[in-house]
Amino acid sequence: MFESLTDKLGQALRNLRGVGKLSDENMADALKEVRTALLSADVHFKVAREFTERVQAQCVGQEVTKSVTPGQQVVKIIHDELVRLLGEGTTQLSGARPLKIMMVGLHGSGKTTSTAKLGKLLKKRGYRPLVAACDVYRPAAIDQLEILARQEELGFYADRNSKDVPAIGVAALTAAQTATADCIIFDTAGRLQIDADLIEEVKKLRARVQPDEVLLVVDGALGQEAVNVAKTFHDALSLTGLILTKLDGDARGGAALSIKSITGVPIKFVGTGEKTGDFEVFHPDRLASRILG
Ligand code: GDP
């Protein structure tokens, strides 16, 4: 994950790690390289600039240059700043029971897969999840969700004869109650692009089912575009969290590192593969350590 970023940061910090004395000059060089590494991972330019400025300010503030192991201290400061950027301590889901979760996102982002993945994870936590198919435009999406639900032994609700999404949502709540499910995950429709109709439909469903969580599923390999998508969805729907998918692929890290700081919405889960088990609670500190190699 994010190998290129790890390589580049590693190079930038290698010279610093072992130095006995840190000068303003080698510090400035290293931070310039850090900034370049972030930019080439498609981190938003403002985020990259603020990041290096904050690191620099702390290095001066803590008189790192006078320390016995200055290089290691800089690495520690960078680690902590990465954690801050990724969003420390913000990954918990609502504790409501029943727990109602609405999944939104663009077509192809991994929404249906993530719905099943989240169901599986919550089942492990002791919930009785039911997944509700609210994508009425793609019968294949309903079938896909049904297959995954069966595979993971999750409750499933669909109404293949209706196009009334809010009504389907309400019927799913009733079905969940009947089945004594205590967690309902709504898989909503996606489009290739964000459009007003999609947002309107999701808003109507939201108003009817009153979800505790509205999670945007977004393809982490999209870099800055993922950040733009998240911003638009958040402006329209007040998201409570993000699921960043496809981090196993060629994602460079830009989305993961910029999205919380630009949108204010925390990443709660990450998708790391196509299988239903390839799904993790997001741990900013672990990812920061991984990025620093
Ligand atoms: P939806 O249109 O948003 O519902 O997207 P799908 O759930 O159908 O997923 C689209 C494609 O992305 C499928 O081929 C999934 O197997 C794949 N996919 C979803 N999440 C991940 C992930 O975390 N990693 C990888 N490599 N593929 C994923």
Side-chain angles (χ1 to χ4, degrees):
M1 202 189 280
F2 310 158
E3 287 85 2
S4 163
L5 176 60
T6 297
D7 276 0
K8 290 200 172 100
L9 281 179
Q11 270 166 31
L13 298 176
R14 197 159 300 133
N15 298 335
L16 284 187
R17 278 187 207 256
V19 296
K21 197 163 167 23
L22 206 61
S23 66
D24 285 351
E25 204 173 28
N26 55 21
M27 186 66 215
D29 285 349
L31 285 181
K32 206 167 147 207
E33 279 183 66
V34 167
R35 188 154 162 254
T36 309
L38 293 174
L39 290 174
S40 66
D42 205 16
V43 171
H44 194 285
F45 75 96
K46 255 168 53 187
V47 175
R49 193 182 57 209
E50 278 169 26
F51 182 88
T52 42
E53 281 171 2
R54 284 180 63 95
V55 171
Q56 190 166 25
Q58 286 176 71
C59 289
V60 174
Q62 294 184 19
E63 302 197 15
V64 167
T65 43
K66 289 185 196 145
S67 134
V68 201
T69 52
Q72 277 172 28
Q73 286 214 23
V74 177
V75 175
K76 164 88 172 63
I77 290 170
I78 289 183
H79 173 273
D80 293 350
E81 278 299 312
L82 278 176
V83 175
R84 198 187 61 83
L85 209 54
L86 291 162
E88 50 202 333
T90 44
T91 61
Q92 294 286 331
L93 281 182
S94 155
R97 289 237 182 175
L99 174 61
K100 293 175 282 181
I101 303 174
M102 204 162 90
M103 307 286 272
V104 299
L106 293 182
H107 178 60
S109 58
K111 193 162 20 66
T112 302
T113 315
S114 299
T115 300
K117 287 175 168 181
L118 184 56
K120 180 185 172 114
L121 182 137
L122 291 174
K123 192 176 167 195
K124 267 202 208 142
R125 289 189 184 171
Y127 285 91
R128 284 170 58 86
L130 175 140
V131 294
C134 297
D135 184 350
V136 294
Y137 310 103
R138 287 196 316 135
I142 303 180
D143 296 343
Q144 183 191 351
L145 188 63
E146 185 169 22
I147 291 166
L148 291 170
R150 202 173 294 153
Q151 178 192 312
E152 300 305 330
E153 298 181 349
L154 306 171
F156 172 76
Y157 180 82
D159 181 351
R160 287 180 169 83
N161 298 315
S162 171
K163 296 262 184 269
D164 184 345
V165 173
I168 294 173
V170 172
L173 289 178
T174 309
Q177 213 168 16
T178 310
T180 64
D182 56 6
C183 164
I184 306 104
I185 311 175
F186 301 91
D187 181 22
T188 65
R191 305 269 154 80
L192 286 174
Q193 287 174 325
I194 304 167
D195 66 44
D197 288 348
L198 168 69
I199 296 290
E200 263 324 293
E201 182 181 288
V202 177
K203 272 187 177 166
K204 280 186 193 148
L205 176 64
R206 180 191 187 134
R208 290 294 289 278
V209 303
Q210 301 275 316
D212 306 293
E213 296 277 350
V214 181
L215 303 180
L216 174 73
V217 180
V218 62
D219 182 339
L222 292 180
Q224 281 316 297
E225 188 46 31
V227 179
N228 294 337
V229 168
K231 212 168 166 302
T232 311
F233 268 95
H234 186 45
D235 288 347
L237 292 165
S238 300
L239 304 170
T240 61
L242 302 166
I243 298 179
L244 216 52
T245 61
K246 310 191 190 184
L247 295 194
D248 52 307
D250 47 11
R252 286 180 287 163
L257 285 166
S258 316
I259 211 159
K260 166 74 180 11
S261 124
I262 299 281
T263 65
V265 185
I267 304 171
K268 295 197 171 177
F269 301 95
V270 292
T272 55
E274 295 196 48
K275 299 204 191 76
T276 44
D278 299 330
F279 192 68
E280 296 169 18
V281 172
F282 183 60
H283 292 292
D285 50 341
R286 285 190 208 163
L287 185 56
S289 302
R290 211 150 138 184
I291 288 172
L292 284 177

